[in-house]
Amino acid sequence: MTDQDQRLTLTTAESMADIAPEAWNALAGPDNPFLSHAFLHALETSGSVSERTGWLPRHLLLSTADGRLIGAVPLYLKAHSWGEYVFDQAWARAYEQAGGAYYPKLQAAVPFTPVPGPRLLAGNGPDAPAIRRTLAEGLAAVAGSLDVSGVHVTFLAPEDVAPLAMAGFMARHDVQFHWHNRGYGSFDDFLAALSARKRKMIRKEREKVRDSGLVFRALSGEDITPAAWDAFHRFYRATVDRKWGEAYLTRSFFDRLGESMADRVVLIMAYDGDRPVAGALNLIGKDTLYGRNWGAVVDLPFLHFETCYYQAMEVAIDRGLARVEAGAQGGHKLLRGYEPVTTRSAHWLADPRLAHAVKDFLDRERAAVDAEAEALGEHLPFRRDQSGPDQDAGGGAG
């Protein structure tokens, strides 16, 4: 960047409606659908991201003197730690017991979405590295102006790691499970790569579901009708209710998703005759199928695995996609061909006492998580003559 850097301005926006879609999308890029203006705007206009759910938009914007947007961060002011999938509640309790106030805090993330991807949005021009450094430094500055305890950047991309570390952010690691398409022509090709025991297990699971008489359909674009969204929203609510969670996503969100991004949605639905009984919501990226939410109103063995994992693999194979990311948690995915991948977050805390204690914890936790990922990689279900990918995907999404 040039001496024009001195005339750059950092501001915050309280709504995606205040940001030009084309300017935001130019920085976010086309690869990750969750970072698109349409997706983030749908969360806000549907009331899924709101004061009710405790996610208040404070998007960080970096602009030139003539008002051109050259950098951005999807950023939220929060008074709790729900809907993040990177857990810091223990830090909050410890700090509050010591007399501090952990909330409010700032969260740089896609709400309710544990999908890795860029958080320091800077496009791909020659100035992108310098813009990321400015955004990373700006996050700490904004934290000071808003009088929050810290900033947490979760599920970040590899290119975000260095600028955040240079700005004083502490690194945290976790593990997800992603399925990799090694040029399979069919699901049977994938099964052929597995050990005989795991291949037999998956076939039995799929047979159990088929024997129930359910029929699966992968809906996209205009095939996703309001009735399909009605059914999926019922499934989503049923799953949330069973887990004693909070239904952040409103029915209106799915309408908005269908209106603005239907061509990037794959809604896998299971039907008992004409009656939909289960479904899984997936979004399509450049080379990845992202599994998000699922639900069912029937209780059948292996229905979750079929709807969320095996059907998603078949969609990825049919569309020539490189992988399936099925969200957070789930060591059971390992037995079904999903492989351990390291994800990353970064954390900046204003109080040096808290920062010192958390850094010590994170140093030990990272070593344990990295060892766990390596150990999990030794238990993949593939035949011994099948090689796996690099277990450390760097937290990237595409």
Side-chain angles (χ1 to χ4, degrees):
M1 298 180 74
T2 68
D3 57 3
Q4 186 183 18
D5 294 0
Q6 303 302 319
R7 299 193 296 276
L8 298 181
T9 303
L10 278 168
T11 57
T12 58
E14 297 186 7
S15 171
M16 291 299 295
D18 298 331
I19 307 169
E22 61 276 10
W24 179 278
N25 290 335
L27 299 175
D31 296 348
N32 190 312
F34 300 100
L35 289 165
S36 68
H37 189 281
F39 186 86
L40 297 172
H41 189 46
L43 287 173
E44 294 179 15
T45 56
S46 67
S48 302
V49 162
S50 64
E51 187 173 1
R52 175 187 68 85
T53 59
W55 289 75
L56 300 178
R58 294 294 186 272
H59 305 304
L60 184 64
L61 308 177
L62 180 65
S63 303
T64 60
D66 59 1
R68 182 170 58 93
L69 186 66
I70 63 169
V73 179
L75 189 63
Y76 302 86
L77 186 66
K78 298 198 64 197
H80 58 67
S81 293
W82 303 112
E84 298 170 5
Y85 299 92
V86 175
F87 303 106
D88 62 351
Q89 286 92 335
W91 306 353
R93 287 194 297 270
Y95 193 48
E96 288 163 1
Q97 288 170 1
Y102 193 78
Y103 303 108
K105 66 175 186 174
L106 286 172
Q107 191 79 21
V110 177
F112 332 122
T113 306
V115 169
R119 299 296 179 257
L120 308 177
L121 308 183
N124 57 8
D127 288 340
I131 292 171
R132 291 191 192 98
R133 290 195 297 271
T134 302
L135 289 171
E137 294 164 358
L139 284 170
V142 169
S145 67
L146 294 177
D147 194 26
V148 299
S149 69
V151 188
H152 308 267
V153 187
T154 47
F155 299 102
L156 51 88
E159 60 266 29
D160 294 337
V161 172
L164 288 167
M166 292 173 60
F169 283 72
M170 299 173 287
R172 191 175 194 182
H173 291 179
D174 204 347
V175 174
Q176 284 187 353
F177 297 88
H178 300 170
W179 180 80
H180 299 266
N181 181 3
R182 298 190 178 88
Y184 303 125
S186 67
F187 194 86
D188 283 340
D189 287 349
F190 159 66
L191 290 179
L194 303 181
S195 68
R197 186 164 62 91
K198 296 300 189 295
R199 185 164 59 243
K200 182 178 180 181
M201 177 196 77
I202 291 175
R203 281 178 172 155
K204 282 188 172 182
E205 291 178 353
R206 302 202 78 183
E207 286 171 4
K208 282 280 189 181
V209 177
R210 280 197 297 270
D211 290 346
S212 72
L214 297 186
V215 175
F216 289 83
R217 298 172 191 155
L219 308 178
S220 191
E222 295 180 353
D223 292 335
I224 308 177
T225 63
W229 283 127
D230 284 340
F232 182 74
H233 187 248
R234 288 197 302 272
F235 306 153
Y236 166 68
R237 290 299 302 261
T239 297
V240 170
D241 291 344
R242 281 198 301 273
K243 294 183 177 181
W244 296 89
E246 181 176 352
Y248 290 109
L249 300 178
T250 65
R251 175 64 182 84
S252 174
F253 167 75
F254 298 110
D255 282 335
R256 284 163 169 75
L257 191 65
E259 291 165 2
S260 60
M261 300 180 64
D263 60 334
R264 303 193 75 175
V265 172
V266 175
L267 189 62
I268 295 172
M269 299 288 280
Y271 295 86
D272 182 2
D274 293 331
R275 184 172 74 102
V277 296
L281 174 64
N282 304 265
L283 268 70
I284 307 169
K286 177 184 178 183
D287 59 4
T288 304
L289 186 70
Y290 299 97
R292 283 302 307 119
N293 308 99
W294 106 286
V297 292
V298 294
D299 187 12
L300 291 174
F302 310 119
L303 179 59
H304 175 242
F305 298 154
E306 178 66 33
T307 309
C308 296
Y309 305 154
Y310 304 143
Q311 290 289 324
M313 293 178 191
E314 292 199 344
V315 168
I317 292 170
D318 290 344
R319 290 176 175 258
L321 299 173
R323 59 184 164 273
V324 177
E325 295 188 14
Q329 305 172 344
H332 54 275
K333 298 171 187 170
L334 186 74
L335 301 178
R336 293 161 180 88
Y338 285 73
E339 307 178 29
V341 170
T342 300
T343 60
R344 290 179 166 83
S345 59
H347 308 265
W348 180 90
L349 296 166
D351 189 324
R353 298 169 301 168
L354 178 61
H356 178 78
V358 168
K359 181 181 183 304
D360 180 66
F361 166 79
L362 290 178
D363 289 344
R364 290 180 280 110
E365 184 191 54
R366 277 197 311 277
V369 167
D370 293 346
E372 177 191 15
E374 184 175 354
L376 287 169
E378 299 297 321
H379 297 282
L380 295 172
F382 297 96
R383 301 195 322 256
R384 293 191 180 275
D385 60 338
Q386 297 291 312
S387 60
D390 182 356
Q391 300 306 309
D392 182 1

